[in-house]
Amino acid sequence: MARAGESVVFVLDVGPRMHPHLAQAARATADFITEKIVHKAKHQVCLLLFGASETRNRENDKSALEEGGEAEYSHIVEAHGLGPPDGDYIRTLHTLTPGHGHSDFKEALAVAAAVLVEQEGFRGTRRIVLLSNLCSRAQEDPEDALTSVLAEGLQQREIALEVLHLDVEEDDRQYDADKTYNLNQLAAICQELSHHERHFASGVALLSAFKFKEVSASATFSGHLAVGTKLHIPVKLCGKTAKEKLLTPGKESPDADNASEGAETGIQRDTEYYYADQEAHGNDVVPETEVAKALRYGCNLVPFGDEQKQVFVFPTVRGLQLVGFVSAGHIPRHYYMKDVKVLVADKASPGGCAAMAALVAALLRQSQRAVIRFVSRNDSQPKLLLASPVAGSVAAVPHLLLNELPFMEDMRSYRFSSFTKKAWAPTQAQLDAAADLVRCMDLGAGSVEQLQPESTADPALHRLYWECGRRVVTPGVPLEEEDELAQEVLQPHPERLPGAAAALAAAAAAFPMHQAAKERRRAAVRIGLDDPAQDYARLKVEDGLTTEALEALQAAISELTLKSSGAHKLHTVVELVDVLREDCIMHDQPQLFNTFLTELEARCQADDSQREVWRRLCRREIKLICKKEAAGSELEEQQTQEWYSQHLMQ
């Protein structure tokens, strides 16, 4: 049966003049193949390599028979025939061997066209993707016979051509004559052919040749826009949906293969609840009949069942209702919430289209905006939307752009310190230094803007596909620590911003931070809660192991104990207490630690929410410091052991 979808012949140049860029070209091809494997199951792909050391293709076999052994179309390998791609394609590209034959792109296109022509019963689209730097001169073609045949054949059979042209400046200088000849030949083939040509300035740029995201408009609501009580316009609410083509991880049970016949397989998942008061109930599981939904009200839990929740549901009816109009400048842009959506009239209703066009025209003429009440489904929370008009054009019909507006509880007011003090006003030299820094670091200052959103790939997605391919070739292989595309996109490149280093140094000199450094020094006794261990280590390096540093660590432990939740935070508290004990012994401050540990134990015993902290400290066997450990202690070893036994919590 004929298959719907797309048939693609990917033609990859592996010849000697592509060797410096072959690794990136192979990875770009692997991205293309992986995208087909994961998301385009009906598509068929043929992988063709030209410039290879060997020859293996159908046109060469035919010419060998016809010409009595003088084969044509040499150094072209049909690595994988036309069919649904699988892991074998990925293995080939991850283990690609550089070729040492002549790269003739025209002969490679002829073989690719033959592959598609010989396909029977296919009803979808067909295209050829060519990836090369076109630096290997194609063989001389008497009277351009092959060029004419290619151009006419591809056009008649409606085979599209996509050219990924690697334009590296060094290659252009070295092989200028050969490349110019090839470009002229390619232009002759594409003169009347449906084609698309893309240029890449480096091998790393090839890694973003294929996108892994599709942005498309999808209708999220279909209904009516009510204007008053008599006018109801059929509309569709659309949003630009970014579809990230991420692989979906499945769940795998190791016992599934060993399960007996008729037994249940897979992973059985369930939720278990335990009593908060474990002293009274131990580690017993709460019976399912006693589990109820509740809302937290302060430190209490108030039971709230589904029936009780329905009493508080605000009754609403699904739909869009025009509430009123406001002047264009009365609602600041920073009030807009979430993503913008597009409201268009349903094209199935001519009257609705005319009504929407009239509404848009009236809003534009009077510089007004519409406020719309939106309920996505019955009994759901209503939203207020601001509708901004957009006039119709050749590309789009008249429509409204909708932005969600905040309610009173959503508003946030931020007050910043005023710069009215004369001493705080920047000098002209400082203003000039800041302006020069911005100018030198402008990504669009060169001939080509860097990191254009339309052409900058998401390195995380591309790395995911590449690493999955590596696992196909070698299961269990460790992840690569560095990724070319991630470094290209995410790491700064000072060499591409001439003068930026000097401008940055001038800006640093123009804004001295001596006073700020003193203030930071005074505040060094404070240890933050985000990474207290690192802050304490930095404090010891800067100030040494002082009493102030030990007291600062005590304060951080106490504050972290009050806010601790989750295993990670509790583990951090225990580690810090252990560090404090060791440093107090080293600094001969045993009384400081003993007093702190006694107070900490009393606080944990008095507060049920903090008992887990003391329980973990007991498991670590953290005790008071005795004379044997620090001479300044007033306690004997037996006394510290007795204290530990009395306050031990299992």
Side-chain angles (χ1 to χ4, degrees):
M1 182 177 179
R3 297 172 60 88
E6 182 182 56
S7 284
V8 183
V9 179
F10 201 103
V11 184
L12 176 61
D13 186 358
V14 298
R17 294 184 179 180
M18 269 289 289
H19 288 181
H21 323 292
L22 192 56
Q24 293 91 345
R27 178 170 171 178
T29 309
D31 284 345
F32 178 84
I33 299 294
T34 306
E35 190 267 344
K36 297 295 183 185
I37 293 175
V38 178
H39 304 288
K40 303 291 179 63
K42 292 184 178 181
H43 289 198
Q44 302 182 59
V45 179
C46 171
L47 180 58
L48 210 65
L49 309 177
F50 71 105
S53 300
E54 57 179 323
T55 301
R56 190 174 68 252
N57 64 81
R58 62 191 68 193
E59 291 303 297
N60 176 266
D61 297 339
K62 290 180 182 179
S63 63
L65 295 175
E66 294 174 359
E67 301 295 335
E70 295 182 4
E72 298 178 343
Y73 305 100
S74 58
H75 302 297
I76 300 174
V77 174
E78 192 174 330
H80 293 280
L82 195 60
D86 54 21
D88 291 336
Y89 287 70
I90 302 300
R91 292 187 184 91
T92 299
L93 292 167
H94 277 258
T95 58
L96 192 62
T97 303
H100 298 283
H102 179 70
S103 298
D104 191 323
F105 82 95
K106 289 199 299 182
E107 288 192 345
L109 290 179
V111 175
V115 172
L116 294 175
V117 169
E118 293 179 9
Q119 186 183 23
E120 296 182 359
F122 185 78
R123 295 182 298 143
T125 59
R126 296 182 292 182
R127 65 179 173 129
I128 299 172
V129 180
L130 172 66
L131 196 163
S132 174
N133 58 0
L134 298 177
C135 290
S136 295
R137 187 184 185 95
Q139 294 183 7
E140 295 294 336
D141 186 8
E143 299 181 358
D144 293 333
L146 182 56
T147 302
S148 302
V149 170
L150 276 173
E152 183 178 353
L154 295 176
Q155 183 181 4
Q156 288 181 352
R157 291 171 174 80
E158 297 181 345
I159 299 175
L161 177 61
E162 181 176 355
V163 180
L164 307 182
H165 185 191
L166 186 57
D167 268 335
V168 181
E169 186 176 351
E170 183 179 350
D171 292 346
D172 293 348
R173 290 196 305 266
Q174 190 173 359
Y175 310 112
D176 180 65
D178 293 339
K179 190 164 187 175
T180 301
Y181 174 80
N182 288 336
L183 289 175
N184 291 333
Q185 294 292 305
L186 183 63
I189 295 173
C190 298
Q191 188 172 4
E192 297 182 3
L193 179 67
S194 174
H195 71 284
H196 180 50
E197 189 171 351
R198 291 190 287 159
H199 295 258
F200 300 89
S202 66
V204 177
L206 278 175
L207 301 182
S208 59
F210 301 102
K211 295 181 179 180
F212 285 153
K213 286 185 180 180
E214 286 186 355
V215 179
S216 58
S218 58
T220 59
F221 175 88
S222 296
H224 291 82
L225 171 62
V227 182
T229 58
K230 296 183 179 180
L231 178 60
H232 294 78
I233 306 174
V235 294
K236 290 183 180 294
L237 184 62
C238 304
K240 287 186 175 180
T241 304
K243 301 177 182 178
E244 296 189 6
K245 295 185 175 181
L246 286 170
L247 304 177
T248 303
K251 295 180 175 62
E252 186 176 332
S253 172
D255 300 327
D257 296 336
N258 301 325
S260 59
E261 186 175 354
E264 292 185 0
T265 60
I267 297 177
Q268 303 296 322
R269 296 193 300 173
D270 199 0
T271 303
E272 294 181 345
Y273 297 91
Y274 296 88
Y275 291 98
D277 188 0
Q278 294 189 356
E279 289 188 353
H281 300 276
N283 292 327
D284 296 339
V285 178
V286 180
E288 187 175 352
T289 55
E290 297 184 15
V291 176
K293 295 182 179 179
L295 297 178
R296 183 172 294 279
Y297 184 77
C299 61
N300 301 312
L301 291 174
V302 181
F304 252 93
D306 293 335
E307 295 181 359
Q308 294 169 316
K309 280 187 176 182
Q310 290 299 322
V311 178
F312 295 92
V313 173
F314 183 71
T316 54
V317 179
R318 178 180 182 272
L320 290 157
Q321 174 71 48
L322 197 150
V323 177
F325 304 95
V326 295
S327 298
H330 280 190
I331 299 182
R333 289 290 299 270
H334 65 271
Y335 281 8
Y336 294 178
M337 301 177 66
K338 298 186 178 180
D339 300 329
V340 63
K341 295 188 179 297
V342 180
L343 187 67
V344 297
D346 191 342
K347 61 182 180 181
S349 172
C353 294
M356 176 63 75
L359 176 61
V360 169
L363 290 172
L364 289 171
R365 184 172 58 253
Q366 300 184 27
S367 299
Q368 295 283 302
R369 302 289 183 265
V371 178
I372 295 176
R373 178 178 180 268
F374 174 51
V375 179
S376 58
R377 59 181 182 275
N378 291 338
D379 297 332
S380 66
Q381 181 180 355
K383 301 176 182 178
L384 287 180
L385 308 177
L386 182 70
S388 303
V390 179
S393 63
V394 177
V397 297
H399 58 276
L400 298 173
L401 297 180
L402 303 185
N403 289 93
E404 184 177 342
L405 294 175
F407 291 99
M408 178 180 66
E409 290 80 3
D410 299 320
M411 299 298 296
R412 300 290 186 271
S413 297
Y414 297 96
R415 294 184 178 181
F416 299 94
S417 300
S418 174
F419 284 95
T420 54
K421 286 188 177 181
K422 189 174 182 180
W424 292 351
T427 64
Q428 186 60 43
Q430 290 175 327
L431 293 174
D432 293 341
D436 189 50
L437 178 61
V438 172
R439 179 185 58 79
C440 291
M441 298 190 70
D442 185 1
L443 294 175
S447 58
V448 179
E449 181 181 352
Q450 302 178 48
L451 299 179
Q452 296 181 27
E454 298 82 1
S455 58
T456 302
D458 185 342
L461 290 174
H462 283 262
R463 187 181 185 190
L464 171 64
Y465 280 102
W466 177 248
E467 291 296 340
C468 287
R470 294 180 67 241
R471 295 293 179 91
V472 169
V473 178
T474 308
V477 65
L479 297 177
E480 292 181 341
E481 294 185 1
E482 296 183 353
D483 183 81
E484 284 185 287
L485 183 59
Q487 292 178 342
E488 174 72 16
V489 174
L490 302 179
Q491 296 297 325
H493 300 279
E495 70 279 359
R496 302 182 189 175
L497 301 171
L504 185 61
F511 294 89
M513 304 295 289
H514 306 299
Q515 185 65 28
K518 292 180 182 178
E519 295 295 336
R520 183 181 60 81
R521 186 78 171 180
R522 295 191 191 103
V525 294
R526 295 189 56 84
I527 298 175
L529 302 185
D530 293 333
D531 195 350
Q534 182 177 353
D535 291 345
Y536 178 63
R538 172 186 51 77
L539 193 58
K540 288 198 296 183
V541 172
E542 293 178 355
D543 292 350
L545 187 57
T546 62
T547 303
E548 290 78 13
L550 295 173
E551 291 174 350
L553 183 57
Q554 284 185 1
I557 294 173
S558 300
E559 189 172 357
L560 193 62
T561 303
L562 294 173
K563 298 181 179 180
S564 61
S565 61
H568 175 70
K569 291 288 187 181
L570 295 174
H571 177 73
T572 302
V573 171
V574 174
E575 291 292 334
L576 292 176
V577 173
D578 202 5
V579 170
L580 177 63
R581 189 178 191 276
E582 293 179 3
D583 286 353
C584 284
I585 293 174
M586 185 182 304
H587 195 53
D588 197 19
Q589 292 277 5
Q591 193 58 37
L592 187 148
F593 177 81
N594 292 344
T595 303
F596 170 75
L597 188 64
T598 303
E599 293 175 353
L600 180 63
E601 185 272 340
R603 186 163 61 247
C604 291
Q605 294 286 12
D607 191 345
D608 292 342
S609 64
Q610 298 181 27
R611 287 190 176 185
E612 183 59 24
V613 175
W614 184 249
R615 184 178 286 107
R616 293 194 177 221
L617 289 172
C618 291
R619 293 175 189 169
R620 192 69 169 260
E621 297 186 0
I622 295 180
K623 307 173 185 177
L624 300 175
I625 300 175
C626 64
K627 289 183 178 180
K628 186 177 179 180
E629 297 172 293
S633 177
E634 300 175 355
L635 302 175
E636 299 291 342
E637 185 176 4
Q638 183 64 25
Q639 292 177 290
T640 61
Q641 183 62 39
E642 290 176 358
W643 185 90
Y644 175 76
S645 301
Q646 292 173 2
H647 299 87
L648 178 64
M649 181 184 294
Q650 299 292 339

